């Protein structure tokens, strides 16, 4: 046979890795649990090559446990098979699921790290505890305020006039 060039071998590997990432994304976005498990199996050699020993060690265990779920815990398997391993961003729409850790980053963790969030409190144990104990209530208030303020009809120049909007902008800038 013909010998492959090093450049060709590199790009072939690169394309295989990119294809695997796209498959993983498709499995997640479409909430396809079987494809997700298949991708996890396919990712194992890549994780070993990247030196990710914890992933390499525990990923086969994860896949094996998920494979026996159908017999040992059929209700849990059915839940995962119906998309319970991902979070649907908008009900009734296809191809919009994200992983649970990404959903947490985009919601709870983002709120916690935003202004008035947990950043800076971690050095003060009492303050952190108080923040954690009341965070669910303050999140409810934030959501209620967003709902109250988020009127889908945006205020435009045609509704209030350019001079009124300029005056409002200056009024906002004064205290700053």
């Amino acid at each position: 046979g013909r010998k492959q060039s090093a450049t060709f071998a590199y790009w072939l590997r690169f394309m295989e890795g990119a294809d695997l990432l796209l498959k993983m994304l498709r499995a997640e976005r479409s909430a396809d649990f079987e494809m997700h498990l298949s991708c996890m199996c396919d990712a194992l050699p890549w994780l070993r090559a990247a030196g990710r020993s914890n992933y390499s060690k525990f990923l086969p265990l994860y896949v094996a446990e998920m494979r026996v779920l159908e017999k040992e815990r059929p209700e849990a398997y059915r839940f995962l098979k119906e998309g319970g391993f991902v979070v649907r961003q908008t009900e009734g729409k296809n191809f919009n699921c994200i992983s649970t850790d990404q959903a947490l980053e985009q919601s709870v963790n983002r709120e916690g790290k935003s202004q008035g969030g947990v950043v800076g409190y971690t050095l003060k144990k009492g303050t952190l505890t108080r923040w954690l104990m009341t965070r669910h209530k303050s999140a409810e208030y934030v959501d209620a305020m967003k709902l109250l303020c988020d009127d889908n009809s945006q205020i435009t120049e045609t509704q209030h006039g350019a001079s009124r909007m300029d005056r409002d902008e200056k009024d906002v800038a004064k205290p700053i």
Side-chain angles (χ1 to χ4, degrees):
R2 218 170 77 169
K3 193 174 183 180
Q4 283 183 351
S5 75
T7 305
F8 179 79
Y10 169 81
W11 284 109
L12 183 61
R13 283 279 169 218
F14 179 84
M15 294 300 288
E16 288 171 354
D19 185 53
L20 177 58
L21 289 174
L22 289 171
K23 284 179 186 174
M24 288 176 158
L25 184 60
R26 181 175 183 84
E28 187 177 281
R29 294 287 182 174
S30 60
D32 187 336
F33 187 60
E34 289 302 320
M35 183 187 275
H36 164 75
L37 292 179
S38 174
C39 288
M40 293 300 106
C41 292
D42 294 345
L44 195 56
W46 292 90
L47 294 169
R48 286 190 197 280
R52 304 307 237 170
S53 58
N54 279 341
Y55 287 106
S56 300
K57 194 183 322 177
F58 295 111
L59 191 60
L61 180 63
Y62 164 75
V63 172
E65 286 180 349
M66 294 300 109
R67 294 278 184 217
V68 299
L69 256 176
E70 188 171 13
K71 290 180 183 169
E72 291 183 2
R73 302 266 191 249
E75 66 283 349
Y77 177 78
R78 190 171 35 258
F79 173 75
L80 294 171
K81 184 96 167 128
E82 291 170 357
F85 73 104
V86 291
V87 175
R88 187 169 298 281
Q89 292 181 305
T90 307
E91 282 303 317
K93 293 197 175 185
N94 294 328
F95 208 69
N96 70 347
C97 299
I98 57 174
S99 66
T100 53
D101 59 331
Q102 185 179 356
L104 282 171
E105 278 297 325
Q106 292 178 353
S107 59
V108 176
N109 294 351
R110 182 183 60 198
E111 288 292 325
K113 293 173 186 174
S114 64
Q115 184 178 7
V118 74
V119 175
Y121 287 158
T122 54
L123 300 176
K124 304 170 192 162
K125 187 177 180 180
T127 307
L128 178 62
T129 303
R130 200 166 35 254
W131 185 86
L132 288 171
M133 298 297 287
T134 60
R135 186 66 191 138
H136 67 286
K137 279 295 178 194
S138 59
E140 285 178 22
Y141 293 139
V142 167
D143 290 343
M145 185 58 91
K146 283 180 183 175
L147 222 115
L148 182 67
C149 295
D150 185 27
D151 181 15
N152 286 337
S153 63
Q154 297 290 326
I155 297 173
T156 62
E157 288 186 28
T158 56
Q159 290 171 320
H160 286 292
S163 61
R164 171 63 188 262
M165 291 190 71
D166 287 341
R167 189 172 70 231
D168 289 345
E169 287 293 322
K170 289 176 186 171
D171 288 344
V172 169
K174 281 180 189 175
I176 296 172

